[in-house]
Amino acid sequence: MYFQHLYPFPKSCVENRDVRFVFGASVQAVISGLDTECVKRVKALWNRFSATASELNVVSADNGFQLVIGGASAVLAENDSYAIHADDSGVCVVGRDAQALMNGIMSLMQLICPDVLDEGRESLYINAVDIHDAPAMPFRAIHLCLFG
């Protein structure tokens, strides 16, 4: 993993550094279940986390809540909020809902590793990984009490 730790660290993360999904300056993704603003955020995040060396080209679909690049597929376990699967054929993130999918995509962004960033020779990769996660608490909040 390029970063030593994912934040927040998922409940289950199995990585295989011997297998990689390698990609370049342009990546085709199919995204289902996100509105136009969320898709714009995903594209901007991809560009930033790839050090502006890769652009995500998105095709919308109506197939639950998922992001698919290449031929990979992921399966949600019963207690998962989202799941990520990456192998040499591609990457897939699936979520129970739009927020879970966005959480999975934000975890995926942390897995992007630079290899070559020279213009015209861009090469990045994501190590093969299986991640399953769900929030530790269903609802989080903070209460501020201000006295005047």
Side-chain angles (χ1 to χ4, degrees), residues 32-107:
S32 302
L34 295 181
D35 64 30
T36 305
E37 286 305 310
C38 284
V39 170
K40 285 181 186 177
R41 269 184 38 210
V42 170
K43 291 173 73 170
L45 284 168
W46 183 272
N47 187 256
R48 289 181 185 144
F49 274 86
S50 67
T52 69
S54 182
E55 180 181 353
L56 191 66
N57 301 304
V58 175
V59 174
S60 295
D62 188 22
N63 191 16
F65 298 96
Q66 63 180 355
L67 174 144
V68 180
I69 300 169
S73 63
V75 177
L76 284 171
E78 185 177 331
N79 295 326
D80 289 346
S81 175
Y82 70 86
I84 301 171
H85 175 78
D87 58 28
D88 58 353
S89 72
V91 178
C92 182
V93 181
V94 293
R96 292 235 176 260
D97 55 32
Q99 182 59 53
L101 177 59
M102 284 302 294
N103 290 342
I105 290 170
M106 287 186 272
S107 292

